[in-house]
Amino acid sequence: MEFNLNKAIEILSGKLSGWLEALTAMLPNMVVALFVLIVAYIAARMFRMAVGRLMRKFAAKEAITSLFAALVYLVALGVGLIVALNVLHLEQTVASLLAGAGIIGLALGFAFQDIAANFISGVLLAFRKPIQVGDIIETKSFIGMVEKIDLRVTMLRTFQGLHVIIPNRDVFQTPVTNYTKTSDRRIDMEVGVSYAEDLREVKKIAIDAVSELPYLLSGREVNLHYKEFGDSSINFILMIWVHYPDEPGFLKARSDAIIAVKEAFDKNGITIPFPIRTMDFGIKGGKTLTEMNFHTDTRKVMKNGQSKDSQEMTG
């Protein structure tokens, strides 16, 4: 028993001695690794501050700035940790950490691909700035004012007072009409007049009517072009340019233009016809309602006449 105890003490002493020698041999590397971690920490903080200042020049959203600054900070710390582990000759540990991080990242990417797509789209929207808060846009059959743009969704308030939440991926990937970017808009009015009207006179009256509107753009000519021979009218397009960047103003301008044209046509006796339909009651076609009534009345008259004759003969 005493012999076994002495042997165990001897083995333990040898192990401790080996560990101490290894620790003594690694002491310079440990000092270097600690120095690398301190430098990495200081550099990461400096990078985070520099990236924050730089990002504020390109992205107005503080969330984007904080996100990129935090990513740079973590990447700098990660690089410092990998270098420190390599100094300590722990390459296997580094490989295991990188492999684990890759597997976790791949799994998270598949699990949250929709969230990631909206997130990346939000970041791209913050950099490219196709739309901003306060803009009036139309996308995904919704039109309204942008109230908020965050990293995942864009919020609209429609002119009916409804709040619409649209994923950033849809805003980034689908066509978006931004009515605020251009303040000049053209109103295209489709009107029809009777075939009996003088088309040159109609053109002059219509152009003069809308030319009196106060918000027409100077330097933009009012144009009228006849379009087609319709079923009951000759149709034309009246094109005017107005300076109204917001949609309610555009609607008001179009409404005023319609009123002006209608009043001018009424004043000059110009007819805006409505569609006319002719109903055919014949089995083989060709008989109108008037003809049907005429034949019906004729048959009634003939029948009544025959009845009178029969009564007279009987009497």
Side-chain angles (χ1 to χ4, degrees), residues 9 12 44 51 74 82 178 187 189 253 272 284 300 308:
I9 293 174
L12 179 60
V51 169
L74 293 176
I82 292 174
N178 193 330
I187 299 175
M189 295 172 47
I272 301 178
K284 294 185 177 180
K300 287 182 178 179
K308 287 182 180 181

Side-chain angles (χ1 to χ4, degrees), residues 33 47 91 95 103 131 260 271 285:
F47 286 153
E91 290 84 358
I103 294 173
I131 59 175
T271 303

Side-chain angles (χ1 to χ4, degrees), residues 306-315:
Q306 291 176 356
S307 299
K308 287 182 180 181
D309 293 340
S310 298
Q311 292 175 359
E312 291 177 357
M313 291 177 64
T314 301

